[in-house]
Amino acid sequence: GSNSVSVFAVAGDRLVLRQVVASGGQFPVSVTVHDGLVYVLNAEGDANIQGFYSRAGWLVPIPGSNRSLGLTIPTGATQYVNTPGQVAFSPNGTQLVVTTKANGDDIDVFGVGPSGIPSPAPVVNAELGTVPFAVTFDPAGRLVVTEAGTDALATYALAPDGTVSLLDSVGTGQQATCWVVWTQGFYYVSNAGSADLSGFQESFDGALQLLSPPTPTDAGTVDATAAGRFLYVQTGGSGIVDEFEVLSGGSLNQIGSVVVPGAMGGEGIVAGPSSSPAPWVP
């Protein structure tokens, strides 16, 4: 609503507001960070990305880094599914990946130069009917995408020229498959329409195997994050965070839940900086 990005310092279990800076567009929805570079995805108006340098905990806009996605954003009931979903750096920081959801069903890839400036235009990879939503990367650098149109999880090879090649796509059998998180060698995707999580295991070549059955959550399943063997799932229906332990074989054991004041309709969660990635377990 304010078209801005807030920067917080972390002090134990408390946050201290340090800076509020214009996002470079309208309705920022996603932030990605790599080695002192920060990019923000603005989802409305002239949907675009805007870059920043991170300097001692402060954001400084990168001149000449704003790039339009060339999308026409509708208003009304279809707006949400036609706004771009997420921006993410590739593991080596040389590419920026943007999903457009139903607005073209595209996976857009910008190259990123040494100074942090993106390529003038993205490579547009059309994946018709899939509605690419959220992304992550596996330990081998492959792109992993939730596809809300087909309710599936997909793996892609991401080439240096920005093109992507489908490796595998496996359906969840659930509704509104939108978010994904990786931990302990497994992927967990949030099915917003079914109020549950689907688990997947990935083989060395990018093939996916669905773990069953899905794990129920509270209503309004959205984003999730992991800290070691613990998985935290944001459920926006009542502003609840569900807490799980990842067991051997990828099954989930619910260990609790907590109501977060003012979090109804919330959409975004991340674990604290003390968490560390789990080892790759194929």
Side-chain angles (χ1 to χ4, degrees):
S2 60
N3 302 326
S4 64
V5 177
S6 297
V7 181
F8 295 88
V10 181
D13 61 354
R14 297 184 180 276
L15 300 176
V16 180
L17 181 64
R18 296 191 61 179
Q19 181 189 17
V20 178
V21 60
S23 69
Q26 297 180 37
F27 205 76
V29 297
S30 178
V31 178
T32 187
V33 180
H34 186 275
D35 196 22
L37 295 177
V38 176
Y39 266 84
V40 175
L41 173 61
N42 295 291
E44 293 184 5
D46 177 22
N48 60 45
I49 57 171
Q50 170 67 48
F52 299 85
Y53 295 120
S54 178
R55 297 290 184 262
W58 299 87
L59 294 184
V60 180
I62 302 175
S65 66
N66 192 287
R67 295 288 184 271
S68 172
L69 299 179
L71 303 177
T72 300
I73 307 299
T75 59
T78 64
Q79 184 179 51
Y80 180 74
V81 296
N82 282 279
T83 52
Q86 185 177 348
V87 60
F89 272 108
S90 62
N92 62 10
T94 63
Q95 293 170 301
L96 280 167
V97 176
V98 181
T99 56
T100 70
K101 295 192 291 194
N103 205 329
D105 296 302
D106 298 329
I107 300 172
D108 292 350
V109 182
F110 291 89
V112 181
S115 63
I117 302 294
S119 54
V123 174
V124 177
N125 299 277
E127 303 293 329
L128 297 181
T130 63
V131 188
F133 197 107
V135 305
T136 190
F137 287 87
D138 72 10
R142 290 179 286 252
L143 180 65
V144 182
V145 184
T146 56
E147 298 178 335
T150 54
D151 293 318
L153 186 68
T155 52
Y156 292 87
L158 174 60
D161 65 0
T163 58
V164 301
S165 302
L166 180 66
L167 299 174
D168 197 12
S169 179
V170 176
T172 63
Q174 306 301 301
Q175 297 179 4
T177 300
C178 294
W179 288 266
V180 59
V181 64
W182 182 90
T183 188
Q184 302 296 106
F186 303 97
Y187 297 101
Y188 297 96
V189 299
S190 299
N191 303 302
S194 303
D196 58 25
L197 301 170
S198 295
F200 288 86
Q201 190 167 20
E202 182 187 16
S203 66
F204 69 93
D205 60 356
L208 296 167
Q209 177 184 354
L210 177 65
L211 307 178
S212 59
T215 301
T217 69
D218 282 293
T221 316
V222 283
D223 201 8
T225 188
R229 70 180 192 276
F230 299 107
L231 181 68
Y232 301 94
V233 182
Q234 187 179 27
T235 61
S238 298
I240 295 173
V241 174
D242 291 334
E243 306 156 341
F244 298 91
E245 182 181 11
V246 181
L247 303 179
S248 176
S251 61
L252 296 175
N253 174 45
Q254 185 160 7
I255 57 176
S257 64
V258 60
V259 177
V260 180
M264 288 182 62
E267 208 172 291
I269 185 173
V270 66
S274 61
S275 62
S276 58
W280 170 237
V281 183

